[in-house]
Amino acid sequence: MEQQQLDQIEEAKKISNATKRAISEPLEQMLFEPINVLDHGFIRVVDYMGNDSSIVQAARVSYGAGTKQVNDDQSLINYLMRNDHTSPFEMCEIKLHVKLPIFVARQWIRHRTASVNEYSSRYSILKNEFYLPKLENICEQSQNNKQGRGNAIQEEFASRIFEILKSDSIRAFNNYQLMLNVDIDNNPIDVSRPGVARELARIELPLNTYTEWYWKIDLHNLLHFLKLRSSDHAQFEIREYANVLLDILQKWVPATYNAFMKYKINSKTMSNTAVEVIRKLLKNEPVTFTESGLSKGEWNTLMTDLDLKEKLV
Amino acid sequence: MEQQQLDQIEEAKKISNATKRAISEPLEQMLFEPINVLDHGFIRVVDYMGNDSSIVQAARVSYGAGTKQVNDDQSLINYLMRNDHTSPFEMCEIKLHVKLPIFVARQWIRHRTASVNEYSSRYSILKNEFYLPKLENICEQSQNNKQGRGNAIQEEFASRIFEILKSDSIRAFNNYQLMLNVDIDNNPIDVSRPGVARELARIELPLNTYTEWYWKIDLHNLLHFLKLRSSDHAQFEIREYANVLLDILQKWVPATYNAFMKYKINSKTMSNTAVEVIRKLLKNEPVTFTESGLSKGEWNTLMTDLDLKEKLV
Amino acid sequence: MEQQQLDQIEEAKKISNATKRAISEPLEQMLFEPINVLDHGFIRVVDYMGNDSSIVQAARVSYGAGTKQVNDDQSLINYLMRNDHTSPFEMCEIKLHVKLPIFVARQWIRHRTASVNEYSSRYSILKNEFYLPKLENICEQSQNNKQGRGNAIQEEFASRIFEILKSDSIRAFNNYQLMLNVDIDNNPIDVSRPGVARELARIELPLNTYTEWYWKIDLHNLLHFLKLRSSDHAQFEIREYANVLLDILQKWVPATYNAFMKYKINSKTMSNTAVEVIRKLLKNEPVTFTESGLSKGEWNTLMTDLDLKEKLV
Amino acid sequence: MEQQQLDQIEEAKKISNATKRAISEPLEQMLFEPINVLDHGFIRVVDYMGNDSSIVQAARVSYGAGTKQVNDDQSLINYLMRNDHTSPFEMCEIKLHVKLPIFVARQWIRHRTASVNEYSSRYSILKNEFYLPKLENICEQSQNNKQGRGNAIQEEFASRIFEILKSDSIRAFNNYQLMLNVDIDNNPIDVSRPGVARELARIELPLNTYTEWYWKIDLHNLLHFLKLRSSDHAQFEIREYANVLLDILQKWVPATYNAFMKYKINSKTMSNTAVEVIRKLLKNEPVTFTESGLSKGEWNTLMTDLDLKEKLV
């Protein structure tokens, strides 16, 4: 972040307004402050609406006297989470300023129920910032996961790849400036000719270029985002952002965070066929993979979940 | 509203939290306070996020240096509104508690990009409250507007209609209680038998019964709601709510309100055929309805807009 | 349905167009035909787009060569369903004409990701049709489910309730016509005076009045609707519609139906705490409710799922 | 497109299924056929639902007898379009297979109310295809439009830019293959070492790389997309796609196309201040820019619209 922006953030953090609205004290503490992600990225919370009590309040409107029996907020939030009563979670909202590589932004934006204002490279000139992975994150293609990463690659080849990414990024940015006809201070290189339109020059830049956006989402849809993007099926780089968001979530709405981890992140969903296998195991009836009706992937997942690794096939 | 709720609101209004977030001072003043609508309805603001400056901030992220030429917030917001750059308006959010007749709720909920938690008549017993129109609002079917109201009906017949609505509402509520087997204090009428399930008993109630909900929407979608529901094509009763919302809008985001009134509410959209008619009129070329290429409705709308009532056909 | 409409449907069913698009033969067979629901309601399929193979096709675009290992359509669809790869299911669409009581319509419309054109009682006069439950469906309030129905009520009281609903529905419709000043053939009752505006007269009608709409939704969102509305937590009357939709689903996209029943309807989701209980049971370690960390509701649900009813508390 | 795909398309085009559904004959003729856009892109229609008559049918459900006065389909569709009765247009749906450069895809996906399945470069290897603009489309930055293109750049500099884009694209693709450790036939280059994970190697590629997706959208949202993306404010490259979509629209739903062009594309929206200026002009009252209350941009737009170029300031 540039010094000018950091100074503005310091100024903004000194402000204290009086409000009758619900607040989250831990989120107020971290408001505006950038949290670093990857080599040049960040997430910072710029605004929010509501807290755990807003969810409880909305649930009580819907369920009225029916919720009086659930006598504390954590229990009610657990109940809502467990039973997929999702609408009260829509009553909270958060707005973030995020800096992220374009290939991460392309995955992120697939979540449609959110609002976005992205830095426009049609209006403005992009900065000379590119994501370069750490050597230990340069991994080979996974053998058993068509979309994922496997082991770290041997260091010599990893270093070579790092150098390629770095030098091609630099070359692309230099050529971007040449097309725009601007130097590092955005002054014309050659005053005798115009620059190419910004919207065109940018097509030269690689997918590891950083962009920025304001992103606003309600809590229900944020949880859905986190469920998918904190999973080990998600790409490492977007998981790094998801992990920071999980920390923010825990500070903002701790009861929701607890319920989410328990019933959504660390839960297992089992088909009726899988449950039937468990029932037989509990009755000490013989069960084999071939007779189970499960696919090999399902069987192995179930045995792993049940801590019965000796039964893996 | 019940005294208990009003007391809670008085308590809530005394709270003052410190926040670093953007606030709207006029909205803080009215927070939690119910504004009466129709005979038993209300709207009250229970939370909000952002103000006019949040829109400007989001726009500057998108348009960067490109917006520096627009040197004040009102001008930038005018520009965004005029050119349908809608995404910065999504960066503000408002949450309302609304009490409204069911037939109004049915129109309201057609706006899908919003979050709702409605009082559930499956969980809880509805109150004895019904919308009864004032005599001057009991109007005849409009002759030229298939979906609208025309002149007020003669008072004698209007009174009769009022009495029908009133007595049928009372009868329905009494029968609702009889089915539920509860009296006015929700005690059993006849302890020897159970009550009918609440989800079933409620089907007896008429569409003028009041319901309540928490409703949360972003500013862009609120403007779209207001464009449609403050129009004279909207039903009188929902327009009463839209008018209160317009007042809230003006307090919350005054620059947005100004731009909205100028470019969306009080603007006219004209087909190229209509614009061609204006061009001819300005050149003093003869233009008649039959040669204009406009439908009768379009011609008359145009002549009214242009203050040329002598040309109505 | 009126004879005129039925005749039109017979005509429409005779049409045979040539198309290159994917079709579903069983759905073609039932196209346009109303399937009765409740006493006066129906669902009929009026259009659709895609079939099981469209899902597979979309998945193969996304996952390319990565899906070649899954060598049949049912297995691929199972994989997508199990792993919540929901976007390929959005590639199919269905359009229905539904007639349903207003209180059911109010629950139905809470599903926002769909398109609706409802019969407008501002433009047109409603028909004299009301939902009256069968005696066996007039049940008492459930004692352990705050939002549900319990046992059928004793017949004498049920009959009385039926008669109240019936006579109040008739009275409301008669008064509706009186306000509108129209008789059963929609001719004026009293030519010397106007009728009240339709948008106002309708507020007299009860929530068991039937309405109609065209409803269009993609397959992913239809599955979500069915998950919630075919559940025994849903109100009986909307479940009747959901059950018909499940039949339609099975005809339209049989592989998707199979995967949906297996992984979404008949599956169980268990928190990590619940899975830990299962692991201990499998190791014959002692587990009691009090030490389990589960709430009473969770414990009993788990023991029921595991067919260990002797452990219920 | 590869020969294998073209052969499959030829096969698919020979299919003729019988359907009772509404069809669009001109769209059937072009089904599956790719229409070229830019240097390597295409759009092809792969499925659709409904036609102009489906819109009319849905409108008549909503407005019932109220629409009988509008006695032909074009007039009714004009009425719906002019008055922003948008819901009947949601009743039609279209599914496209699109090949487009990533920088175009990034603009396209901002339209959130649509379904997408994109070719995944985590699962599969991208092809060696890059967008290279024609020399006449390599333009300078517009002087008066912060986000747009101005005049074509002098040919010598344009050629140089073309060569940079071309050579950097080739270099990036070669390095992409080197990282993946695959040659042009996707065989390993060096069998002694693994390739880098596909999800990582792709970050090397520039924004002019082509991607593909299936994209499904309803007609209302397609019109909104076309309004924004066929505008001269849109970037040239996405406008090329929008223009092809306009042709498809005209074939699919000709009455809707006519109404859309008349009331949405070729219409003008004027603020009440602008209308007041027109009224004065029609009354031959003096009006000057400074007294008009319009901004300079608004005044000039209005005078241009009114064909009064002598009044430009």
Side-chain angles (χ1 to χ4, degrees), chain A residues 109-114, chain B residues 112-113, chain C residues 49 86-93 112-115 216 218-221, chain D residues 90 92-96 98 105 107-118 213-226 245:
Chain A
I109 201 124
R110 293 302 321 278
H111 296 263
R112 291 161 292 182
T113 313
Chain B
R112 289 161 294 181
T113 313
Chain C
M49 185 167 109
T86 59
S87 60
F89 296 101
E90 292 182 28
M91 288 291 155
C92 295
E93 194 90 14
R112 289 161 293 180
T113 314
S115 297
K216 176 172 150 291
D218 69 51
L219 177 53
H220 164 61
N221 282 289
Chain D
E90 293 182 26
C92 294
E93 194 89 15
I94 196 161
K95 187 163 67 176
L96 307 166
V98 187
Q107 297 177 336
W108 194 302
I109 201 122
R110 293 302 321 279
H111 297 263
R112 290 161 292 181
T113 313
S115 297
V116 183
N117 276 108
E118 185 173 354
W213 60 33
Y214 272 51
W215 187 64
K216 176 172 149 289
I217 194 164
D218 70 51
L219 177 53
H220 164 61
N221 283 289
L222 178 62
L223 296 180
H224 187 66
F225 178 94
L226 288 172
L245 288 173

Coordinates of all heavy atoms in Angstrom, one line a residue, chain A residues 109-114, chain B residues 112-113, chain C residues 49 86-93 112-115 216 218-221, chain D residues 90 92-96 98 105 107-118 213-226 245:
Chain A
I109 N -15.2 -13.9 -8.2 CA -16.4 -13.3 -8.8 C -17.5 -14.2 -9.2 O -18.6 -13.8 -9.5 CB -16.0 -12.3 -9.9 CG1 -17.1 -11.3 -10.2 CG2 -15.8 -13.1 -11.2 CD1 -16.6 -9.9 -10.1
R110 N -17.1 -15.5 -9.2 CA -18.2 -16.5 -9.5 C -19.3 -16.5 -8.5 O -20.4 -17.0 -8.7 CB -17.6 -17.9 -9.7 CG -16.7 -18.1 -10.9 CD -17.4 -17.8 -12.2 NE -18.7 -18.3 -12.2 CZ -19.1 -19.5 -12.5 NH1 -18.2 -20.4 -12.8 NH2 -20.4 -19.8 -12.5
H111 N -19.0 -16.0 -7.3 CA -20.0 -15.8 -6.3 C -20.8 -14.6 -6.6 O -20.4 -13.5 -6.4 CB -19.4 -15.8 -4.9 CG -18.6 -17.0 -4.6 ND1 -19.2 -18.0 -3.8 CD2 -17.4 -17.5 -4.9 CE1 -18.3 -19.0 -3.7 NE2 -17.2 -18.7 -4.4
R112 N -22.0 -14.8 -7.1 CA -22.8 -13.8 -7.7 C -23.6 -12.9 -6.8 O -23.9 -11.8 -7.1 CB -23.7 -14.4 -8.8 CG -23.0 -14.9 -10.0 CD -23.9 -15.9 -10.8 NE -24.1 -17.1 -10.0 CZ -24.8 -18.1 -10.4 NH1 -25.4 -18.1 -11.6 NH2 -25.0 -19.2 -9.6
T113 N -23.9 -13.4 -5.6 CA -24.8 -12.7 -4.7 C -23.9 -11.8 -3.8 O -23.8 -12.0 -2.6 CB -25.7 -13.6 -3.9 OG1 -26.2 -14.6 -4.8 CG2 -26.8 -12.8 -3.2
A114 N -23.3 -10.8 -4.4 CA -22.4 -9.8 -3.8 C -22.3 -8.6 -4.6 O -22.7 -8.6 -5.8 CB -21.0 -10.4 -3.6
Chain B
R112 N -37.2 -9.1 -5.6 CA -36.5 -10.3 -5.1 C -35.2 -10.0 -4.5 O -34.6 -10.8 -3.8 CB -36.4 -11.3 -6.2 CG -37.8 -11.9 -6.6 CD -37.7 -12.5 -8.0 NE -37.5 -11.4 -9.0 CZ -37.5 -11.7 -10.3 NH1 -37.6 -12.9 -10.8 NH2 -37.3 -10.7 -11.2
T113 N -34.5 -8.9 -4.9 CA -33.2 -8.7 -4.5 C -33.2 -7.9 -3.1 O -32.8 -6.8 -3.0 CB -32.4 -7.9 -5.5 OG1 -32.6 -8.5 -6.8 CG2 -30.9 -8.0 -5.2
Chain C
M49 N -36.3 -26.7 -20.7 CA -35.1 -26.6 -21.5 C -34.1 -27.5 -21.0 O -33.8 -27.5 -19.8 CB -34.5 -25.1 -21.5 CG -33.3 -24.9 -22.3 SD -33.0 -23.1 -22.5 CE -31.5 -23.1 -21.5
T86 N -22.7 -27.2 -8.3 CA -24.1 -26.9 -8.6 C -24.3 -26.2 -9.9 O -25.4 -26.3 -10.5 CB -24.8 -26.0 -7.5 OG1 -24.0 -24.8 -7.4 CG2 -24.7 -26.7 -6.1
S87 N -23.3 -25.6 -10.5 CA -23.6 -24.8 -11.7 C -24.1 -25.5 -12.9 O -24.9 -25.0 -13.6 CB -22.4 -23.9 -12.0 OG -21.2 -24.6 -12.2
P88 N -23.6 -26.8 -13.1 CA -24.2 -27.5 -14.3 C -25.7 -27.7 -14.2 O -26.4 -27.7 -15.2 CB -23.4 -28.8 -14.3 CG -22.1 -28.5 -13.6 CD -22.5 -27.5 -12.6
F89 N -26.2 -27.8 -13.0 CA -27.7 -28.0 -12.8 C -28.5 -26.7 -13.2 O -29.7 -26.8 -13.4 CB -28.0 -28.5 -11.4 CG -27.4 -29.8 -11.1 CD1 -26.3 -29.9 -10.3 CD2 -28.0 -31.0 -11.6 CE1 -25.7 -31.2 -10.0 CE2 -27.5 -32.2 -11.3 CZ -26.3 -32.3 -10.5
E90 N -27.8 -25.6 -13.2 CA -28.5 -24.3 -13.6 C -28.7 -24.3 -15.1 O -29.4 -23.4 -15.5 CB -27.6 -23.1 -13.2 CG -27.5 -22.9 -11.7 CD -26.7 -21.7 -11.3 OE1 -26.7 -20.7 -12.2 OE2 -26.0 -21.6 -10.3
M91 N -28.1 -25.2 -15.8 CA -28.2 -25.2 -17.3 C -29.6 -25.7 -17.8 O -29.9 -25.7 -19.0 CB -27.1 -25.9 -17.9 CG -25.8 -25.2 -17.8 SD -25.7 -23.7 -18.8 CE -24.5 -22.7 -17.9
C92 N -30.4 -26.3 -16.9 CA -31.7 -26.8 -17.3 C -32.8 -25.8 -16.7 O -32.5 -25.3 -15.6 CB -32.0 -28.2 -16.8 SG -30.9 -29.4 -17.5
E93 N -33.9 -25.7 -17.3 CA -34.9 -24.8 -16.9 C -36.3 -25.4 -17.1 O -36.5 -26.2 -18.0 CB -34.8 -23.5 -17.8 CG -35.5 -22.3 -17.3 CD -34.7 -21.4 -16.3 OE1 -33.4 -21.6 -16.2 OE2 -35.3 -20.5 -15.7
R112 N -36.5 -16.8 -4.1 CA -36.4 -15.6 -4.9 C -35.7 -15.8 -6.3 O -35.9 -15.0 -7.2 CB -35.5 -14.6 -4.1 CG -36.3 -14.0 -2.9 CD -35.3 -13.4 -1.9 NE -34.5 -14.4 -1.3 CZ -33.5 -14.2 -0.4 NH1 -33.3 -13.0 0.0 NH2 -32.8 -15.2 0.1
T113 N -35.0 -16.9 -6.4 CA -34.3 -17.1 -7.7 C -35.2 -17.9 -8.7 O -34.9 -19.0 -9.0 CB -32.9 -17.8 -7.5 OG1 -32.3 -17.2 -6.4 CG2 -32.1 -17.7 -8.7
A114 N -36.2 -17.2 -9.1 CA -37.2 -17.8 -10.0 C -37.9 -16.6 -10.7 O -37.8 -15.5 -10.2 CB -38.2 -18.7 -9.3
S115 N -38.6 -16.8 -11.8 CA -39.4 -15.8 -12.4 C -40.9 -16.1 -12.3 O -41.3 -17.3 -12.4 CB -39.0 -15.8 -13.9 OG -37.7 -15.4 -14.1
K216 N -41.1 -20.0 -13.4 CA -40.0 -20.5 -14.2 C -38.7 -20.5 -13.3 O -38.4 -19.5 -12.6 CB -39.7 -19.6 -15.4 CG -38.5 -20.0 -16.2 CD -38.5 -19.2 -17.5 CE -37.1 -18.9 -18.0 NZ -36.3 -18.0 -17.2
D218 N -34.6 -22.5 -12.6 CA -33.6 -23.5 -13.1 C -33.6 -24.7 -12.2 O -34.1 -24.7 -11.1 CB -32.2 -22.8 -13.3 CG -31.6 -22.4 -12.1 OD1 -31.4 -23.3 -11.2 OD2 -31.1 -21.3 -11.9
L219 N -33.0 -25.8 -12.7 CA -33.0 -27.1 -12.0 C -32.3 -27.0 -10.7 O -32.8 -27.6 -9.7 CB -32.4 -28.1 -12.9 CG -32.2 -29.5 -12.4 CD1 -33.6 -30.1 -11.9 CD2 -31.7 -30.5 -13.4
H220 N -31.2 -26.3 -10.6 CA -30.5 -26.2 -9.3 C -31.4 -25.6 -8.3 O -31.5 -26.1 -7.1 CB -29.2 -25.3 -9.5 CG -28.6 -24.9 -8.2 ND1 -28.2 -25.7 -7.2 CD2 -28.5 -23.6 -7.7 CE1 -27.8 -25.0 -6.1 NE2 -28.0 -23.8 -6.4
N221 N -32.0 -24.5 -8.6 CA -32.9 -23.8 -7.6 C -34.2 -24.6 -7.4 O -34.7 -24.5 -6.3 CB -33.2 -22.4 -8.1 CG -32.0 -21.5 -7.8 OD1 -31.7 -21.1 -6.6 ND2 -31.2 -21.1 -8.8
Chain D
E90 N -38.8 -12.4 -18.7 CA -38.0 -13.4 -18.0 C -38.4 -14.8 -18.3 O -37.7 -15.8 -18.0 CB -38.1 -13.2 -16.5 CG -37.5 -11.9 -15.9 CD -37.6 -11.8 -14.4 OE1 -37.7 -12.9 -13.7 OE2 -37.6 -10.7 -13.9
C92 N -38.5 -16.2 -21.2 CA -37.7 -16.8 -22.3 C -36.3 -17.0 -21.8 O -35.8 -16.2 -21.0 CB -37.8 -16.0 -23.5 SG -39.4 -15.8 -24.2
E93 N -35.6 -18.0 -22.4 CA -34.3 -18.3 -21.9 C -33.4 -18.7 -23.1 O -33.9 -19.3 -24.0 CB -34.4 -19.4 -20.9 CG -33.1 -19.7 -20.1 CD -33.1 -18.9 -18.8 OE1 -34.2 -18.4 -18.3 OE2 -32.0 -18.8 -18.2
I94 N -32.1 -18.4 -23.0 CA -31.2 -18.8 -24.1 C -29.9 -19.3 -23.6 O -29.5 -18.8 -22.5 CB -31.0 -17.6 -25.2 CG1 -30.4 -18.2 -26.5 CG2 -30.2 -16.5 -24.6 CD1 -30.6 -17.3 -27.7
K95 N -29.3 -20.3 -24.2 CA -28.1 -20.8 -23.7 C -27.1 -20.8 -24.9 O -27.4 -21.3 -26.0 CB -28.2 -22.3 -23.2 CG -27.0 -22.8 -22.6 CD -27.2 -24.0 -21.7 CE -27.6 -25.2 -22.6 NZ -27.8 -26.5 -21.8
L96 N -25.9 -20.2 -24.6 CA -24.9 -19.9 -25.6 C -23.6 -20.6 -25.3 O -23.3 -20.7 -24.1 CB -24.7 -18.4 -25.8 CG -25.9 -17.6 -26.0 CD1 -25.5 -16.1 -25.8 CD2 -26.4 -17.7 -27.4
V98 N -19.8 -19.7 -25.9 CA -19.0 -18.5 -26.3 C -17.6 -18.7 -26.1 O -17.1 -19.3 -25.1 CB -19.5 -17.3 -25.4 CG1 -18.8 -16.0 -26.0 CG2 -21.0 -17.1 -25.4
A105 N -14.2 -11.6 -21.0 CA -14.9 -12.5 -20.1 C -15.0 -11.8 -18.7 O -16.1 -11.9 -18.0 CB -14.2 -13.8 -19.9
Q107 N -15.4 -8.6 -18.2 CA -16.5 -7.6 -18.2 C -17.8 -8.3 -18.3 O -18.8 -7.9 -17.6 CB -16.3 -6.7 -19.5 CG -15.0 -5.9 -19.5 CD -14.8 -5.1 -20.7 OE1 -15.4 -5.4 -21.8 NE2 -14.0 -4.0 -20.6
W108 N -17.8 -9.3 -19.0 CA -19.1 -10.1 -19.3 C -19.7 -10.6 -18.0 O -20.9 -10.5 -17.8 CB -18.8 -11.2 -20.3 CG -19.9 -11.9 -20.9 CD1 -20.9 -12.6 -20.3 CD2 -20.0 -12.1 -22.3 NE1 -21.7 -13.2 -21.3 CE2 -21.2 -12.9 -22.5 CE3 -19.3 -11.7 -23.5 CZ2 -21.7 -13.3 -23.8 CZ3 -19.8 -12.1 -24.7 CH2 -20.9 -12.8 -24.9
I109 N -18.8 -11.2 -17.1 CA -19.3 -11.9 -15.9 C -19.8 -10.9 -14.9 O -20.4 -11.3 -13.9 CB -18.1 -12.7 -15.4 CG1 -18.7 -13.9 -14.5 CG2 -17.1 -11.9 -14.6 CD1 -18.4 -15.2 -14.9
R110 N -19.6 -9.6 -15.1 CA -20.2 -8.6 -14.1 C -21.7 -8.7 -14.1 O -22.3 -8.2 -13.2 CB -19.7 -7.2 -14.4 CG -18.2 -7.0 -14.1 CD -17.8 -7.4 -12.7 NE -18.8 -6.9 -11.7 CZ -18.9 -5.7 -11.3 NH1 -18.1 -4.8 -11.6 NH2 -19.9 -5.4 -10.5
H111 N -22.3 -9.3 -15.2 CA -23.7 -9.4 -15.3 C -24.0 -10.7 -14.5 O -23.8 -11.8 -14.9 CB -24.2 -9.5 -16.7 CG -23.9 -8.2 -17.4 ND1 -24.9 -7.3 -17.6 CD2 -22.8 -7.7 -18.0 CE1 -24.3 -6.2 -18.3 NE2 -23.1 -6.5 -18.5
R112 N -24.6 -10.5 -13.3 CA -24.6 -11.6 -12.3 C -25.8 -12.5 -12.5 O -25.8 -13.6 -12.0 CB -24.6 -11.0 -10.9 CG -23.3 -10.4 -10.5 CD -23.4 -9.5 -9.3 NE -24.2 -8.3 -9.7 CZ -24.5 -7.3 -8.9 NH1 -24.1 -7.3 -7.7 NH2 -25.2 -6.2 -9.4
T113 N -26.9 -12.0 -13.1 CA -28.1 -12.8 -13.2 C -28.1 -13.7 -14.4 O -28.8 -13.5 -15.4 CB -29.4 -11.9 -13.2 OG1 -29.2 -11.0 -12.1 CG2 -30.6 -12.7 -12.9
A114 N -27.2 -14.7 -14.4 CA -27.0 -15.6 -15.5 C -26.2 -16.8 -14.9 O -25.7 -16.8 -13.8 CB -26.1 -14.9 -16.6
S115 N -26.3 -17.9 -15.7 CA -25.6 -19.1 -15.3 C -24.4 -19.4 -16.2 O -24.5 -19.2 -17.4 CB -26.5 -20.3 -15.4 OG -27.6 -20.1 -14.5
V116 N -23.3 -19.8 -15.6 CA -22.0 -19.9 -16.3 C -21.3 -21.3 -16.0 O -21.3 -21.6 -14.8 CB -21.0 -18.8 -16.0 CG1 -19.8 -18.9 -16.8 CG2 -21.7 -17.5 -16.2
N117 N -20.9 -21.9 -17.0 CA -19.9 -23.0 -16.9 C -18.7 -22.7 -17.7 O -18.8 -22.9 -19.0 CB -20.5 -24.4 -17.2 CG -21.3 -25.0 -16.1 OD1 -22.5 -25.0 -16.1 ND2 -20.6 -25.4 -15.0
E118 N -17.6 -22.3 -17.1 CA -16.5 -22.0 -17.9 C -15.5 -23.1 -18.0 O -15.3 -23.9 -17.0 CB -15.8 -20.8 -17.2 CG -14.6 -20.2 -18.0 CD -13.9 -19.0 -17.5 OE1 -14.5 -18.4 -16.5 OE2 -12.9 -18.5 -18.0
W213 N -17.0 -20.6 -22.5 CA -18.0 -21.0 -21.5 C -19.4 -21.2 -22.1 O -19.7 -20.8 -23.2 CB -18.1 -19.9 -20.4 CG -18.5 -18.5 -20.7 CD1 -19.3 -18.0 -21.6 CD2 -18.0 -17.4 -19.9 NE1 -19.4 -16.7 -21.5 CE2 -18.6 -16.3 -20.5 CE3 -17.2 -17.2 -18.8 CZ2 -18.4 -15.0 -20.0 CZ3 -16.9 -15.9 -18.4 CH2 -17.5 -14.8 -19.0
Y214 N -20.2 -21.9 -21.4 CA -21.6 -22.0 -21.6 C -22.2 -20.9 -20.8 O -21.9 -20.8 -19.6 CB -22.2 -23.4 -21.2 CG -22.1 -24.4 -22.3 CD1 -20.9 -24.6 -23.0 CD2 -23.2 -25.1 -22.7 CE1 -20.8 -25.5 -24.0 CE2 -23.1 -26.1 -23.7 CZ -21.9 -26.3 -24.4 OH -21.8 -27.2 -25.4
W215 N -23.1 -20.2 -21.3 CA -23.7 -19.0 -20.6 C -25.2 -19.0 -20.9 O -25.6 -19.1 -22.1 CB -23.1 -17.7 -21.2 CG -23.4 -16.5 -20.4 CD1 -23.2 -16.1 -19.2 CD2 -24.1 -15.3 -21.0 NE1 -23.6 -14.9 -18.9 CE2 -24.2 -14.4 -20.0 CE3 -24.7 -15.0 -22.2 CZ2 -24.8 -13.1 -20.1 CZ3 -25.3 -13.8 -22.4 CH2 -25.4 -12.8 -21.4
K216 N -26.0 -19.0 -19.8 CA -27.4 -19.1 -19.9 C -28.1 -17.9 -19.2 O -27.7 -17.6 -18.1 CB -27.9 -20.4 -19.3 CG -29.4 -20.6 -19.3 CD -29.7 -22.0 -18.8 CE -31.0 -22.1 -18.0 NZ -31.0 -21.4 -16.7
I217 N -29.0 -17.3 -19.9 CA -29.6 -16.1 -19.3 C -31.0 -15.9 -19.8 O -31.4 -16.4 -20.9 CB -28.7 -14.8 -19.8 CG1 -29.1 -13.6 -19.0 CG2 -28.9 -14.6 -21.3 CD1 -28.0 -12.5 -19.1
D218 N -31.8 -15.3 -19.0 CA -33.2 -15.0 -19.5 C -33.3 -13.8 -20.4 O -32.3 -13.0 -20.3 CB -34.2 -15.0 -18.3 CG -34.1 -13.8 -17.4 OD1 -34.1 -12.7 -18.0 OD2 -34.0 -14.0 -16.2
L219 N -34.3 -13.6 -21.1 CA -34.4 -12.6 -22.1 C -34.4 -11.2 -21.5 O -33.7 -10.3 -22.0 CB -35.7 -12.8 -22.9 CG -36.0 -11.7 -24.0 CD1 -34.9 -11.5 -24.9 CD2 -37.3 -12.1 -24.7
H220 N -35.0 -11.0 -20.3 CA -35.0 -9.7 -19.7 C -33.5 -9.3 -19.4 O -33.1 -8.2 -19.6 CB -35.8 -9.7 -18.4 CG -35.5 -8.6 -17.5 ND1 -35.7 -7.3 -17.9 CD2 -35.0 -8.5 -16.2 CE1 -35.4 -6.5 -16.9 NE2 -34.9 -7.2 -15.9
N221 N -32.8 -10.2 -18.8 CA -31.4 -9.9 -18.4 C -30.5 -9.8 -19.6 O -29.5 -9.0 -19.6 CB -30.9 -10.9 -17.3 CG -31.5 -10.6 -16.0 OD1 -31.1 -9.6 -15.3 ND2 -32.4 -11.4 -15.5
L222 N -30.8 -10.5 -20.7 CA -30.1 -10.4 -21.9 C -30.2 -9.0 -22.5 O -29.3 -8.4 -22.9 CB -30.5 -11.5 -22.9 CG -29.9 -11.4 -24.3 CD1 -28.4 -11.6 -24.2 CD2 -30.5 -12.4 -25.3
L223 N -31.5 -8.5 -22.4 CA -31.7 -7.1 -22.9 C -30.9 -6.1 -22.1 O -30.3 -5.2 -22.7 CB -33.2 -6.8 -22.9 CG -34.1 -7.6 -23.8 CD1 -35.6 -7.2 -23.6 CD2 -33.7 -7.6 -25.2
H224 N -30.8 -6.3 -20.8 CA -30.1 -5.4 -20.0 C -28.6 -5.5 -20.4 O -27.9 -4.4 -20.5 CB -30.3 -5.8 -18.5 CG -29.7 -4.8 -17.6 ND1 -30.1 -3.5 -17.5 CD2 -28.6 -4.9 -16.7 CE1 -29.3 -2.9 -16.6 NE2 -28.5 -3.7 -16.1
F225 N -28.1 -6.7 -20.6 CA -26.7 -6.9 -21.0 C -26.5 -6.1 -22.3 O -25.5 -5.4 -22.5 CB -26.5 -8.4 -21.2 CG -25.1 -8.8 -21.7 CD1 -24.1 -9.1 -20.8 CD2 -24.8 -8.8 -23.1 CE1 -22.8 -9.5 -21.3 CE2 -23.6 -9.2 -23.5 CZ -22.6 -9.5 -22.6
L226 N -27.4 -6.3 -23.3 CA -27.2 -5.7 -24.6 C -27.3 -4.2 -24.5 O -26.6 -3.5 -25.3 CB -28.3 -6.3 -25.6 CG -28.0 -7.7 -26.0 CD1 -29.1 -8.3 -26.8 CD2 -26.7 -7.8 -26.8
L245 N -25.0 -10.9 -30.8 CA -26.2 -11.2 -30.0 C -27.4 -10.5 -30.4 O -28.5 -11.0 -30.3 CB -25.9 -10.9 -28.5 CG -24.9 -11.9 -27.8 CD1 -24.5 -11.4 -26.4 CD2 -25.5 -13.3 -27.7

